[in-house]
Amino acid sequence: MSCPVTATLGVIGGKWKPIILYCLTSGTKRFGELSVRIPTISGKVLTEQLKSLEEDGLVLRKQYKEIPPRVEYSLTEMGESLSPIFNQMEVWGNKHVLLKS
Amino acid sequence: MSCPVTATLGVIGGKWKPIILYCLTSGTKRFGELSVRIPTISGKVLTEQLKSLEEDGLVLRKQYKEIPPRVEYSLTEMGESLSPIFNQMEVWGNKHVLLKS
DNA sequence: GTAACTTGTTACCTTTTAGTAACAATAAAA
DNA sequence: TTTTATTGTTACTAAAAGGTAACAAGTTAC
């Protein structure tokens, strides 16, 4: 594949990944915190997407051996490097969607 | 909805819209040209997505009354304003995906 | 001793999304 | 006169994605 945008979308594209990644740009979050911030995603799907992001090296999963379980998700360096994309989305959304209504 | 990134993704998110929009950043394209540049999308879905993008004011559809039909798609001013987002995706894709292999 | 806490997994079912094939329309080329 | 060209639409089918509910595990609080 020679198109860099297609390549990027292959990793961060889809219905849920961008929002999950964006949530993590404001710092480490537990599973439950992510669920609260993204209320429309089901637990099953959140688990699946986080696993996929971890496999792609964008998200770090840190599990504490406690009961009840505690798991923290954060961005890797590669995940952090996505921030310019989300910054631009933020700028655009403020200008073209939120200020419209 | 108060999150600008969620707002942006509501308009340009999904499996196909980003790539269609990105294709159009390099200028007006006919339906057939888009099909060639995005070979994995079926005609049905391309029609559906273009219609949705048109309804959201990102894409302009210009139909010529000729036989065989000729239809040209281009970005509106609002669609053009997305380019910083795609530029950042281009930068990221080159750096983190394409140069890896 | 029983319930609640948290982060999952799994099985099953529903919904959404997407693919395929047939059809339309008509002027120009073969 | 039959085929080709282009951009769709529609009906039907297949695949992907997502939702729900049950279950697990062990410590702490009731």
Side-chain angles (χ1 to χ4, degrees):
Chain A
M1 188 206 314
S2 54
C3 168
V5 172
T6 304
T8 300
L9 291 169
V11 183
I12 72 160
K15 188 172 177 182
W16 298 111
K17 285 180 182 176
I19 266 301
I20 295 172
L21 290 167
Y22 176 64
C23 273
L24 292 175
T25 59
S26 55
T28 299
K29 304 263 177 311
R30 295 183 64 176
F31 184 88
E33 293 179 86
L34 288 170
S35 288
V36 170
R37 282 161 189 263
I38 315 173
T40 49
I41 197 172
S42 72
K44 188 191 98 174
V45 174
L46 182 54
T47 301
E48 286 169 356
Q49 300 295 309
L50 284 167
K51 191 177 290 182
S52 170
L53 289 169
E54 196 194 354
E55 284 167 0
D56 285 332
L58 299 174
V59 162
L60 187 74
R61 182 181 188 274
K62 188 170 184 186
Q63 179 168 17
Y64 297 84
K65 288 180 180 173
E66 301 175 359
I67 295 288
R70 180 157 65 106
V71 183
E72 286 179 352
Y73 294 93
S74 58
L75 293 181
T76 62
E77 201 173 326
M78 194 173 162
E80 297 281 4
S81 70
L82 291 165
S83 62
I85 297 176
F86 294 118
N87 285 342
Q88 289 300 331
M89 287 191 189
E90 222 168 21
V91 169
W92 194 90
N94 277 319
K95 198 168 177 184
H96 292 90
V97 187
L98 296 186
L99 296 185
K100 235 171 48 177
S101 48
Chain B
M1 186 205 317
S2 55
C3 167
V5 172
T6 304
T8 300
L9 290 169
V11 183
I12 72 160
K15 189 172 175 184
W16 298 111
K17 285 180 184 177
I19 266 302
I20 295 172
L21 290 166
Y22 176 64
C23 271
L24 291 175
T25 59
S26 56
T28 299
K29 303 264 177 312
R30 296 184 63 176
F31 183 88
E33 292 179 87
L34 289 170
S35 289
V36 170
R37 281 159 191 263
I38 315 171
T40 49
I41 197 173
S42 72
K44 189 191 96 172
V45 175
L46 181 54
T47 299
E48 284 169 357
Q49 300 295 309
L50 285 168
K51 192 178 290 183
S52 169
L53 289 169
E54 195 194 354
E55 284 166 2
D56 285 332
L58 299 174
V59 162
L60 186 73
R61 181 181 189 274
K62 188 169 183 187
Q63 179 167 19
Y64 296 84
K65 289 181 180 172
E66 302 175 357
I67 297 286
R70 180 157 65 107
V71 182
E72 286 179 354
Y73 295 92
S74 58
L75 294 180
T76 62
E77 202 173 325
M78 193 174 163
E80 296 280 4
S81 71
L82 292 164
S83 62
I85 298 176
F86 294 118
N87 285 341
Q88 289 299 330
M89 288 192 188
E90 221 168 21
V91 168
W92 194 91
N94 277 318
K95 198 168 175 184
H96 292 91
V97 187
L98 296 186
L99 296 185
K100 233 170 52 176
S101 48

